[in-house]
Amino acid sequence: MQPADTRSDSMGRPLRDLRVSVTDRCNFRCVYCMPKEVFGRSYRFIDRKELLTFEEIERLARVFVGLGVEKVRITGGEPLLRRDLERLVARLAAIDGLDLTLTTNGALLSQKARALADAGLRRITVSLDSLDDAVFRAMNDVDFPVERVLDGIDTAAAAGLPVKVNAVVKRGLNDGEIVELARHFRGAGHTLRFIEYMDVGATNGWRLDDVVPAAEIVATIDSAFPLEPVEPAYRGEVARRWRYRDGAGEVGVISSVTQPFCGDCTRARISAEGRLYTCLFSAIGHDLRALVRTSEDDDALREAISGVWSARRDRYSELRTAETAALPRVEMSYIGG
Ligand SMILES: C[S@@+](CC[C@H](N)C(=O)[O-])C[C@H]1O[C@@H](n2cnc3c(N)ncnc32)[C@H](O)[C@@H]1O
Ligand code: SF4
């Protein structure tokens, strides 16, 4: 029998990455993620006492690392809304050999970057969909100015955190912003990655027509700043990478709609209330919190997680059709991207 830490799922994919959502709340209402009014009602959020505590998250993370996880990404909702997040960062940063990162909308980053870096965060990803203030305010839909996110990025870089920038592209909304984003971040030392608009959740009214294919994004950048492809650095790398021919760094595209990468997906996700999801497009998660709260035995946790992982068959993006887009699934703000 194989040792547990090399165990793979039913399609031969090992468990290597873990995304941990620490809250489902957000201070933005990005139109592609948490549109303000959903079917005439407001969002209902997880009660605070239902959230995994930092101790519980650390315990789970250690079990996941024992099963082969090498990288943990803290996410949300907006993770910087979780009080004392740097305490969680410090706990996870103390796990040997773990690559620890975080994805944020950047709104609170100027205040928090130094504490996060001091707590041991290795690097950070900031979501930023436009440099045009009016477009940015319309996309976050809470009238948040782009300048403050740019300040957050500068503060994080000054605190020594390598920064990646993620931009979701939605047709007719910010596809005119691609070249400006590329211009701003090339040569600045921050890797920019464009993300195809995905049919996650059931609230964003996703339509295939709204997706700007990665090939079109690359062609748009290439016509302004010529590009050449870069070989993937490792199995499961989600972004396809391109290098500016003039040496001004790299840019990536995440093409989960037009060129799905399920075959290489090594990622598990835990929701803020401790449910385990093996795909971004799952409808149902496996409750780990009950086990964490009732058993002190890490072996029981290990068994439960590896049982779920070894039975994993998900490859939603490869099977996506107009019909699958209508299937029930969790929201991106719940599961964390
Ligand atoms: C759900 S957010 C959570 C972390 C944080 N609030 C943020 O925005 O960075 C994680 C990532 O998912 C992306 N995202 C949200 N909805 C998406 C969608 N429908 N398609 C593609 N990416 C999406 C966001 O742009 C962000 O980069
Ligand atoms: S993408 Fe991030 S910032 Fe935007 S609404 Fe979703 S969780 Fe909030």
Side-chain angles (χ1 to χ4, degrees):
M1 194 176 139
Q2 276 188 321
D5 64 348
T6 58
R7 206 135 159 201
S8 296
D9 71 7
S10 69
M11 294 169 63
R13 299 168 297 189
L15 173 56
R16 291 284 178 262
D17 312 271
L18 178 66
R19 296 200 174 185
V20 181
S21 171
V22 292
T23 178
D24 60 341
R25 290 163 203 259
C26 192
N27 43 2
F28 282 10
R29 286 292 177 272
C30 301
V31 291
Y32 51 75
C33 179
M34 285 181 93
K36 250 183 194 159
E37 281 297 311
V38 183
F39 309 128
R41 62 180 168 80
S42 302
Y43 287 92
R44 273 214 302 272
F45 296 106
I46 303 172
D47 202 274
R48 285 199 168 76
K49 65 178 182 304
E50 306 291 335
L51 299 176
L52 289 181
T53 65
F54 292 164
E55 291 74 7
E56 290 166 344
I57 293 173
E58 180 195 350
R59 182 174 165 212
L60 278 169
R62 287 185 182 274
V63 171
F64 272 93
V65 167
L67 288 166
V69 161
E70 295 164 350
K71 180 168 138 192
V72 169
R73 179 177 296 277
I74 299 171
T75 178
E78 174 45 42
L80 301 192
L81 289 180
R82 180 86 184 247
R83 194 181 302 155
D84 299 329
L85 186 72
E86 55 279 11
R87 281 185 33 233
L88 175 66
V89 168
R91 282 172 172 273
L92 298 180
I95 301 177
D96 246 4
L98 188 66
D99 179 10
L100 181 63
T101 182
L102 178 151
T103 302
T104 174
N105 62 24
L108 298 170
L109 196 53
S110 328
Q111 291 106 288
K112 299 263 187 180
R114 171 58 65 187
L116 293 168
D118 289 348
L121 192 69
R122 301 275 176 89
R123 49 209 176 79
I124 197 159
T125 299
V126 182
S127 304
L128 175 62
D129 306 320
S130 172
L131 291 168
D132 180 285
D133 194 49
V135 174
F136 185 69
R137 286 175 193 253
M139 285 186 82
N140 63 55
D141 209 13
V142 292
D143 212 24
F144 196 88
V146 72
E147 215 43 57
R148 284 175 54 194
V149 177
L150 293 171
D151 283 349
I153 291 174
D154 290 346
T155 313
L161 291 170
V163 179
K164 280 187 181 154
V165 177
N166 275 356
V168 175
V169 184
K170 186 172 174 194
R171 174 89 61 202
L173 212 54
N174 65 334
D175 44 349
E177 303 296 307
I178 294 170
V179 170
E180 273 320 301
L181 280 163
R183 188 193 313 279
H184 184 87
F185 287 109
R186 49 182 244 116
H190 308 321
T191 303
L192 173 65
R193 298 178 314 177
F194 290 98
I195 307 178
E196 285 180 349
Y197 173 41
M198 285 186 287
D199 48 336
V200 282
T203 56
N204 61 8
W206 184 87
R207 297 176 320 142
L208 190 55
D209 287 354
D210 294 332
V211 178
V212 179
E216 183 180 328
I217 296 173
V218 171
T220 304
I221 304 168
D222 182 60
S223 61
F225 309 109
L227 295 171
E228 60 192 13
V230 180
E231 285 302 304
Y234 56 91
R235 179 183 177 188
E237 189 173 45
V238 291
R240 297 193 183 207
R241 292 153 60 207
W242 298 80
R243 185 185 297 124
Y244 292 109
R245 287 181 188 268
D246 65 1
E250 284 186 14
V251 64
V253 284
I254 301 178
S255 51
S256 45
V257 177
T258 61
Q259 294 161 308
F261 37 80
C262 302
D264 277 341
C265 178
T266 56
R267 200 163 308 125
R269 299 176 159 85
I270 307 179
S271 71
E273 57 188 339
R275 300 186 76 82
L276 169 63
Y277 290 83
T278 54
C279 178
L280 192 52
F281 298 95
S282 307
I284 301 165
H286 306 261
D287 183 15
L288 295 179
R289 190 186 59 192
L291 205 52
V292 169
R293 293 194 176 166
T294 54
S295 167
E296 304 215 328
D297 178 9
D298 282 354
D299 285 341
L301 278 174
R302 213 176 340 269
E303 283 294 303
I305 295 165
S306 62
V308 170
W309 188 262
S310 54
R312 177 181 189 245
R313 299 167 55 83
D314 311 273
R315 53 188 200 99
Y316 173 89
S317 286
E318 290 179 350
L319 304 173
R320 178 185 282 112
T321 62
E323 287 79 55
T324 56
L327 292 173
R329 67 182 77 102
V330 294
E331 293 300 320
M332 191 77 146
S333 54
Y334 172 81
I335 202 170

